[in-house]
Amino acid sequence: MKSAVIVFPGSNCDRDAQTALRQVTGAEPAMVWHKEGALPNKLDLIVLPGGFSYGDYLRSGAMAAASPIGDAIRAHAARGGYVLAICNGFQVATELGLLPGALLRNASLNFTCRPQPLAIATNSSAFTAGYKEQREVSFPIAHHDGNYFADAATLDRLEGEGRVAFRYIGNPNGSARDIAGVLSENGRVLGLMPHPERAMAGQEGGNDGVKLFESLMAAA
Amino acid sequence: MKATVHVSLKVGVLDPQGKAVGDALGRLGFDEVGAVRCGKTIELELKDGLSKADAERRVKEMCEKLLANTVVERYSIDIG
């Protein structure tokens, strides 16, 4: 699987994503600086990493979505490439228009950082197929703007089309209908606030993230 | 020419910052305060020679493309 991690100024989970991809795929992901106008050829997967791109200026993810690499990311998604958008990456993906909805300030106003239990809402996606009969995972969360919002019609559509990938067990941020992660219409883009790349059997975070990357490997 | 853009969360979108500010005003004894909503103001210096209509059109485009996220935010524009 050929993958790339987009690095924005203020990204801080880009190396976690790099390490996770290296561990699962055995290949080195390309680290692509946001000012590059183009992506490597024949890419299977783009990871939009967590962090605080552009210091969250204006709105979380808004400036990153307007950066020079933005059009190349949209083009990759448009031709059916996989995109894994984690935390700040999820915010960037909604700002890019790859996923519906928006991420608002946590209802508690607190920056919340802890292991978070999640229900796997669909195991038929390219990102979750490897979990098979497993119903729950624990991924770390660490965010201030993770309160997923979309209008009722959009939420109904997401649920009706099986595009909710993960739900919080114990909603940490006020997200509509406990939604922690959503899929694009073609199922190839996943945006989620929790961090699977920090749950890779390291010294902390458990190992529940491994199967997400293995699922992608099998699909791509 | 100057344009001022006001951006705030749409009615119906929870504004926890506004709520926190409202709660704090209440604690300070400003009992007359009901709901509070927080937003932001963006001031733009525009090149001279632009007609007001053109300025409005361009600034609206800026709002739609970058300055506001119309999924959750509304905006208003003052030119001049």
Side-chain angles (χ1 to χ4, degrees):
Chain A
M1 184 171 67
K2 202 170 164 190
S3 62
V5 179
I6 311 298
V7 185
F8 300 102
S11 292
N12 65 9
C13 300
D14 44 329
R15 291 191 192 178
D16 303 63
Q18 181 185 30
T19 307
L21 288 166
R22 191 188 289 144
Q23 177 185 327
V24 173
T25 68
E28 197 59 32
M31 303 300 282
V32 179
W33 182 237
H34 72 116
K35 282 198 171 166
E36 305 276 335
L39 290 160
N41 284 330
K42 294 185 177 165
L43 212 50
D44 300 303
L45 169 71
I46 290 175
V47 177
L48 299 175
F52 299 88
S53 55
Y54 294 86
D56 282 347
Y57 290 172
L58 193 62
R59 293 181 306 279
S60 302
M63 307 294 288
S67 67
I69 198 71
D71 286 340
I73 298 170
R74 278 197 197 91
H76 168 85
R79 62 157 206 277
Y82 289 101
V83 180
L84 174 59
I86 304 166
C87 198
N88 185 225
F90 187 10
Q91 296 157 347
V92 175
T94 59
E95 290 282 347
L96 276 169
L98 301 185
L99 292 168
L103 284 312
L104 297 167
R105 179 56 41 103
N106 290 351
S108 65
L109 287 175
N110 294 322
F111 184 97
T112 305
C113 184
R114 67 177 194 217
Q116 174 67 47
L118 303 166
I120 302 170
T122 173
N123 55 7
S124 60
S125 81
F127 297 86
T128 55
Y131 289 101
K132 298 197 173 97
E133 299 308 307
Q134 192 177 337
R135 314 307 303 169
E136 291 181 18
V137 289
S138 176
F139 293 159
I141 55 166
H143 60 250
H144 208 171
D145 294 330
N147 181 351
Y148 185 71
F149 176 91
D151 59 44
T154 304
L155 294 170
D156 289 344
R157 187 158 49 83
L158 287 173
E159 289 182 331
E161 294 173 357
R163 288 167 56 190
V164 176
F166 295 99
R167 285 185 208 270
Y168 297 110
I169 299 171
N171 192 333
N173 53 27
S175 285
R177 303 188 193 176
D178 300 330
I179 290 172
V182 295
L183 294 157
S184 60
E185 208 167 348
N186 68 0
R188 299 288 182 101
V189 182
L190 170 67
L192 77 173
M193 289 311 295
H195 288 272
E197 85 289 13
R198 291 192 196 170
M200 299 294 291
Q203 294 192 331
E204 48 198 30
N207 64 359
D208 279 345
V210 175
K211 282 184 183 156
L212 188 144
F213 287 92
E214 286 177 350
S215 302
L216 267 175
M217 264 291 272
Chain B
M1 187 182 279
K2 203 170 114 178
T4 307
V5 176
H6 300 281
V7 182
S8 60
L9 289 169
K10 284 180 180 172
V11 178
V13 176
L14 178 71
D15 178 5
Q17 288 181 85
K19 186 173 181 311
V21 171
D23 290 350
L25 287 171
R27 279 197 300 279
L28 293 170
F30 295 102
D31 301 331
E32 63 273 45
V33 178
V36 176
R37 304 206 39 99
C38 286
K40 61 193 138 202
T41 301
I42 301 161
E43 293 179 354
L44 307 166
E45 289 287 346
L46 301 178
K47 279 184 188 162
D48 290 332
L50 213 56
S51 74
K52 196 175 170 188
D54 280 346
E56 262 173 12
R57 183 177 54 79
R58 294 288 285 171
V59 174
K60 186 166 188 299
E61 231 179 289
M62 295 176 207
C63 289
E64 293 288 333
K65 273 196 134 164
L66 178 68
L67 301 180
N69 179 342
T70 54
V71 174
V72 285
E73 292 174 327
R74 59 183 177 175
Y75 61 85
S76 64
I77 300 166
D78 289 327
I79 304 279

